[in-house]
Amino acid sequence: MTVDNSDHLLMDVDQLDFLDDRTAQTSDYKTDDDEEQLYERDPVSGAILVPMTKNNQPIERNGERLPLKFRLGPISYQNMGFITAKDKYKLYPVKIPRVDTSREFSAYVTGLFEIYRDLGDDRVFNVPTIGVVNSNFAKEHNATVNLAMEAILNELEIFINSIKDQNGKLNRFYELEESLTILNCLRTMYFTLDGRDVEENRPKFIESLLNWINRSDGEPDEESIEQVFSVKNSASGRKVFETQYFWKLLNQLVLRGLLPQAIGCIERSDLLPYLNETCAVSFDAIGDSIELLKQYPRDSSSTFREWKNLVLKLVQAFGSSATDISGELRDYIEDFLLLIGGNQRKILQYSRTWYESFCGFLLYYIPSLELSAEYLQISLEANAVDVTNDWEQSCVDIISGKIHSILPVMESLDSCTAAFTAMICEAKGLIENMFEGDKSIGEYDIEDNEVLEDLFSYRNGMASYMLNSFAFELCSLDNKELWPVAIGLIALSVTGTRSAKKMVIAELLPHYPFVTNDDIEWMLSICVEWRLPEIAKEIYTTLGNQMLSAHNIIESIANFSKAGRFELVKSYSWLLFEASCMEGKKLDDPVLNAIVKGNTTTDDDVVIPEDILNCVVTNAMRQTLAPYAVLSQFYELRDSEDWVQALHLLILLIEFPHLPKHYMVLLLAKFLYPIFLLDDKKQMDENSVTTIIEVIETKWDETDEKSANLYEAIIETENNLPDSTTELLKNLRKKLNFKLCQAFM
């Protein structure tokens, strides 16, 4: 056979759309929002320059190169570039490439996790060998795992369809397509035919085989088909079926199992009308072959043997019959019939790739996976693996039984898909897990127990390592919707003791990016489930600090109290006391005032339900806020001019044994001195005066720096006070002596 028109072998560059400087920034390749990148080219090499930072990165200035370094953060977007040159302090936020934070990815991850969770005990490949062995155990286990594999593929296809039309996701789309091709091959080889159900599942195997082969590269495409049939309209006068391109196309469709399309090509070529007029033998041969293709048996091997016997008889009959067509056309028809009959030489001759011939052997030679290694070897000798894509070598490794080899490749494409692929392979028994071997779960020695305490030990197996690593990766995305998945993956890990999982969860949980009360309740529920009281305290401390930054003092104190940080509770309660004293009135905080009021309210008070208060207030808070409660009552008595009771409460505060000594100066300067001592009309009884004198003599510390600083702040707003604490002390003693004299008089 010869090539009649060599022009068909040449590439028409005018019809191709190459990427050049003018088209590199077209809207088809632009991404949305912060993912949009405008590429420039290096003036010397012409290489594309991709910026590593979100904003303008430092470049060479005035002939001096600025040394740019990077620091990775615990969160994917918290990476920073910085310059180490002198007087350069600008920071450059760096986004790690290929980190997917889209809603579609979140839905995909969640879907895969639900499949993993629903597997239950079938997550572990553990065939029972002792006790009462259920003969259906393996069958039921395989059926469950196979369904899970189908579900994983469905989730991946949904994910791919959701992003295929999005701008800037072209590379991501191709990576996921390659992952899908590898998974389709894996399902075909190991998740369709099991044990005694080979005949029953043969239709599913054939369907899976054809889906893998034909989706892998999408060949032959519509354009190439139309190019073959364009001969029909050319001026050469040749018919379509007289060209070798037509028969290559036809045989390619047959090898790929695209039988309806192959029949359609025969009918479109007008081959049958031509043979009907010129050669009855050839017409009958093609007609019978079409009927045989329509009846290709997918249901059982026995039916296939009967079908193939009919094909071989047809081949033999045509080969021994005389025909009235050209020798070239006869050769084409005979090759076509031999290929359908499973002729090894013809399958290899018309296969453009190793996987086409591999598919042809399984469809037309002997449809048995037991011969897959032999078919693969023969196919690779005829057509080598295309190393420019990732999936071909991975599929070769799958057929060869080297399942471990595909996992690093899949992880380079998509870590999520790779992790759950490792999981499903382990559940199927394709890769090892630590429950395999002669030991039962209760027979591990000390070294084995040490491994169980480390979730990331290599001895736990690749699936365990990849799932746990992916859980950590999810926690670094700062997407709170994926945190339950991450915690769930760790909790459901088939390796590791509860204490090991507890330790990992305790390490991760404080970094949860909580926003709402529901988020906080979820965190605390995890603490309760895993008995993590110290982590709960750490969470409450974080909440307290956040509330403090938002100036929600009461809520921050409540959280510090629940965290057991009683020093902080006491400190901030005294700060509230100090702030109120400085203002000389109650603080404008309805929650605080409701707490110190208890069940008694006035018309001006905001009524807060008691059950809500009980949720906020702890016993520690009630104790530390007690001085403020007394101060609040003092304000009310002062405003109602009940000076006797007001003085009584003020003295209670002054002589309070736990009152910080600088606050004694505050009470004396803000309330006792200006209200009671400067006003000679307000009399004080002997006990009150002597109590105050005794407290001053025992607690007053002239050298206390806090007292001096606080008094300086007071006299900035008060005009009737002495200039220093020393002068204040002298005036206090003088006035108290006068009040004592008044009491005796």
Side-chain angles (χ1 to χ4, degrees):
M1 287 178 279
T2 61
V3 179
D4 298 296
N5 190 355
S6 59
D7 291 340
H8 289 287
L9 299 179
L10 301 177
M11 180 182 295
D12 186 3
V13 296
D14 295 332
Q15 299 298 321
L16 299 178
D17 185 16
F18 288 101
L19 183 69
D20 57 19
D21 291 341
R22 296 185 302 277
T23 60
Q25 298 181 12
T26 56
S27 59
D28 292 339
Y29 293 91
K30 287 184 179 180
T31 60
D32 295 334
D33 302 331
D34 61 329
E35 292 186 358
E36 182 173 348
Q37 293 181 343
L38 299 179
Y39 299 125
E40 299 178 355
R41 289 186 178 271
D42 182 77
V44 178
S45 65
I48 292 178
L49 300 177
V50 182
M52 299 184 68
T53 58
K54 294 180 181 178
N55 48 10
N56 295 329
Q57 61 181 358
I59 58 176
E60 184 177 340
R61 297 176 183 174
N62 300 325
E64 178 186 2
R65 287 192 175 275
L66 300 177
L68 179 65
K69 295 188 177 181
F70 296 92
R71 181 67 59 86
L72 294 177
I75 307 299
S76 61
Y77 66 87
Q78 290 182 348
N79 313 292
M80 204 64 64
F82 57 94
I83 301 171
T84 57
K86 184 179 180 181
D87 299 328
K88 301 293 181 181
Y89 306 106
K90 191 173 182 180
L91 299 177
Y92 300 86
V94 180
K95 183 178 180 180
I96 297 179
R98 302 180 73 249
V99 174
D100 197 338
T101 57
S102 63
R103 292 190 302 272
E104 293 82 4
F105 179 69
S106 298
Y108 175 57
V109 172
T110 303
L112 293 189
F113 172 72
E114 290 175 355
I115 296 169
Y116 177 63
R117 180 193 61 197
D118 295 341
L119 269 175
D121 294 337
D122 289 303
R123 289 189 292 269
V124 179
F125 179 77
N126 185 23
V127 179
T129 56
I130 60 175
V132 180
V133 178
N134 184 359
S135 59
N136 293 325
F137 176 85
K139 180 178 180 180
E140 294 172 356
H141 173 79
N142 287 333
T144 302
V145 175
N146 291 349
L147 285 174
M149 182 61 164
E150 294 287 340
I152 290 174
L153 282 164
N154 289 336
E155 290 291 336
L156 181 54
E157 289 183 1
I158 292 172
F159 181 33
I160 291 174
N161 291 332
S162 66
I163 69 167
K164 66 179 181 180
D165 296 326
Q166 295 182 11
N167 291 335
K169 294 294 183 70
L170 185 62
N171 187 55
R172 177 71 165 149
F173 169 78
Y174 282 125
E175 288 177 342
L176 293 174
E177 275 290 343
E178 290 200 82
S179 298
L180 180 62
T181 299
I182 296 172
L183 279 182
N184 279 330
C185 178
L186 185 65
R187 173 183 61 177
T188 301
M189 302 305 298
Y190 297 102
F191 291 85
T192 52
L193 301 179
D194 290 305
R196 302 175 182 176
D197 300 330
V198 172
E199 292 297 320
E200 179 182 343
N201 294 327
R202 176 175 159 78
K204 185 181 296 185
F205 166 73
I206 297 296
E207 179 183 358
S208 179
L209 174 66
L210 300 185
N211 184 45
W212 160 45
I213 296 298
N214 292 301
R215 180 154 184 167
S216 63
D217 57 5
E219 295 291 338
D221 57 29
E222 184 177 353
E223 184 179 353
S224 61
I225 294 175
E226 293 303 321
Q227 187 174 2
V228 169
F229 280 94
S230 64
V231 178
K232 188 175 182 180
N233 301 322
S234 66
S236 63
R238 299 194 66 191
K239 297 179 175 59
V240 174
F241 53 81
E242 293 178 338
T243 65
Q244 65 172 341
Y245 304 112
F246 169 77
W247 292 99
K248 284 185 176 181
L249 171 64
L250 178 62
N251 291 327
Q252 183 185 21
L253 292 171
V254 172
L255 285 171
R256 288 172 169 264
L258 300 174
L259 304 184
Q261 291 85 340
I263 295 172
C265 282
I266 295 175
E267 294 173 348
R268 182 180 176 184
S269 68
D270 295 330
L271 175 63
L272 288 173
Y274 172 80
L275 294 177
N276 188 31
E277 295 177 359
T278 57
C279 181
V281 173
S282 301
F283 175 79
D284 291 339
I286 293 298
D288 291 343
S289 66
I290 290 176
E291 292 301 318
L292 287 170
L293 288 178
K294 290 180 180 178
Q295 299 173 16
Y296 178 82
R298 297 189 178 192
D299 51 354
S300 68
S301 299
S302 58
T303 308
F304 172 79
R305 286 191 291 270
E306 296 175 2
W307 178 86
K308 184 171 182 178
N309 187 42
L310 293 175
V311 175
L312 293 177
K313 288 182 179 179
L314 176 61
V315 173
Q316 185 178 6
F318 181 78
S320 61
S321 301
T323 58
D324 296 327
I325 55 177
S326 66
E328 185 180 22
L329 182 57
R330 177 187 173 93
D331 290 341
Y332 287 144
I333 295 175
E334 188 170 9
D335 286 354
F336 171 64
L337 297 177
L338 286 170
L339 186 143
I340 297 175
N343 183 277
Q344 176 178 322
R345 186 170 57 85
K346 295 303 176 183
I347 289 175
L348 294 174
Q349 177 183 336
Y350 285 98
S351 298
R352 298 195 307 171
T353 61
W354 65 267
Y355 47 90
E356 281 185 354
S357 57
F358 182 79
C359 180
F361 285 131
L362 286 174
L363 287 176
Y364 307 111
Y365 191 65
I366 300 177
S368 173
L369 283 180
E370 295 179 359
L371 299 173
S372 59
E374 180 181 342
Y375 293 159
L376 177 64
Q377 181 180 356
I378 297 173
S379 299
L380 290 176
E381 289 174 357
N383 296 288
V385 173
D386 183 0
V387 296
T388 61
N389 58 53
D390 292 314
W391 67 265
E392 283 198 30
Q393 184 59 52
S394 295
C395 290
V396 169
D397 291 335
I398 289 172
I399 299 170
S400 304
K402 302 174 183 177
I403 307 300
H404 286 92
S405 301
I406 73 170
L407 297 178
V409 177
M410 294 196 68
E411 190 172 34
S412 69
L413 297 172
D414 181 61
S415 58
C416 174
T417 306
F420 286 98
T421 299
M423 174 275 299
I424 203 70
C425 288
E426 184 178 89
K428 189 71 172 182
L430 301 179
I431 58 178
E432 84 290 343
N433 62 64
M434 68 179 304
F435 298 109
E436 292 180 358
D438 299 331
K439 296 180 182 180
S440 62
I441 295 179
E443 296 178 345
Y444 293 104
D445 53 28
I446 297 176
E447 185 178 358
D448 294 323
N449 290 330
E450 291 177 355
V451 172
L452 288 170
E453 290 295 332
D454 182 7
L455 290 181
F456 292 92
S457 171
Y458 72 94
R459 293 185 59 191
N460 290 341
M462 190 174 286
S464 176
Y465 176 82
M466 293 181 71
L467 281 172
N468 291 327
S469 297
F470 179 64
F472 272 62
E473 180 181 329
L474 292 179
C475 293
S476 71
L477 298 181
D478 198 42
N479 185 348
K480 66 178 183 178
E481 294 180 1
L482 295 178
W483 271 75
V485 175
I487 300 299
L489 286 174
I490 295 170
L492 295 176
S493 176
V494 298
T495 59
T497 62
R498 181 176 175 84
S499 62
K501 298 174 184 178
K502 179 178 178 180
M503 181 178 64
V504 172
I505 293 173
E507 180 70 25
L508 289 174
L509 200 57
H511 302 284
Y512 176 65
F514 61 88
V515 177
T516 65
N517 288 333
D518 291 338
D519 298 338
I520 298 169
E521 290 179 4
W522 177 80
M523 296 173 68
L524 295 176
S525 68
I526 297 297
C527 291
V528 172
E529 180 181 354
W530 289 89
R531 299 180 182 178
L532 300 170
E534 295 303 318
I535 302 303
K537 291 179 180 180
E538 188 173 343
I539 292 170
Y540 280 124
T541 301
T542 304
L543 283 171
N545 289 325
Q546 287 196 358
M547 293 297 104
L548 199 61
S549 300
H551 305 291
N552 295 326
I553 305 298
I554 295 301
E555 292 186 35
S556 68
I557 293 175
N559 285 298
F560 288 142
S561 177
K562 294 174 182 178
R565 302 292 298 272
F566 298 117
E567 287 299 320
L568 292 176
V569 174
K570 184 172 65 173
S571 175
Y572 287 111
S573 296
W574 280 119
L575 286 178
L576 291 174
F577 179 84
E578 177 184 330
S580 178
C581 289
M582 294 297 291
E583 292 186 11
K585 61 180 181 179
K586 295 181 183 179
L587 296 177
D588 188 17
D589 189 328
V591 178
L592 174 61
N593 293 325
I595 292 172
V596 299
K597 266 291 187 180
N599 295 325
T600 60
T601 59
T602 63
D603 295 337
D604 297 332
D605 292 330
V606 177
V607 178
I608 299 178
E610 187 175 353
D611 55 342
I612 296 180
L613 280 178
N614 291 335
C615 293
V616 175
V617 184
T618 64
N619 291 332
M621 288 178 63
R622 295 185 190 279
Q623 293 180 20
T624 56
L625 290 175
Y628 178 82
V630 175
L631 184 63
S632 177
Q633 294 177 23
F634 166 78
Y635 292 143
E636 294 175 2
L637 294 172
R638 179 198 62 182
D639 296 341
S640 63
E641 298 186 354
D642 188 350
W643 304 115
V644 175
Q645 291 300 321
L647 178 62
H648 173 68
L649 293 180
L650 184 58
I651 293 173
L652 287 178
L653 289 173
I654 292 173
E655 67 176 351
F656 182 54
H658 302 291
L659 180 75
K661 53 187 176 182
H662 58 285
Y663 288 151
M664 183 186 69
V665 175
L666 176 63
L667 293 173
L668 293 174
K670 287 288 293 184
F671 304 116
L672 182 67
Y673 184 76
I675 295 177
F676 294 97
L677 298 186
L678 291 181
D679 189 353
D680 295 338
K681 295 181 181 180
K682 293 186 178 69
Q683 296 188 0
M684 300 172 59
D685 61 83
E686 178 185 353
N687 290 333
S688 299
V689 175
T690 55
T691 300
I692 295 172
I693 292 174
E694 182 179 352
V695 171
I696 291 175
E697 294 300 325
T698 56
K699 291 187 177 181
W700 188 280
D701 186 357
E702 190 66 34
T703 62
D704 183 52
E705 185 177 352
K706 288 184 178 180
S707 298
N709 294 336
L710 186 57
Y711 187 74
E712 288 181 3
I714 296 172
I715 61 177
E716 289 180 359
T717 57
E718 301 289 341
N719 299 323
N720 57 349
L721 292 176
D723 295 334
S724 65
T725 54
T726 304
E727 292 296 324
L728 175 64
L729 181 59
K730 291 179 180 180
N731 289 359
L732 283 172
R733 287 171 173 168
K734 180 179 178 180
K735 290 294 183 180
L736 285 171
N737 289 333
F738 176 76
K739 291 293 182 180
L740 187 60
C741 294
Q742 274 189 331
F744 283 122
M745 293 174 60

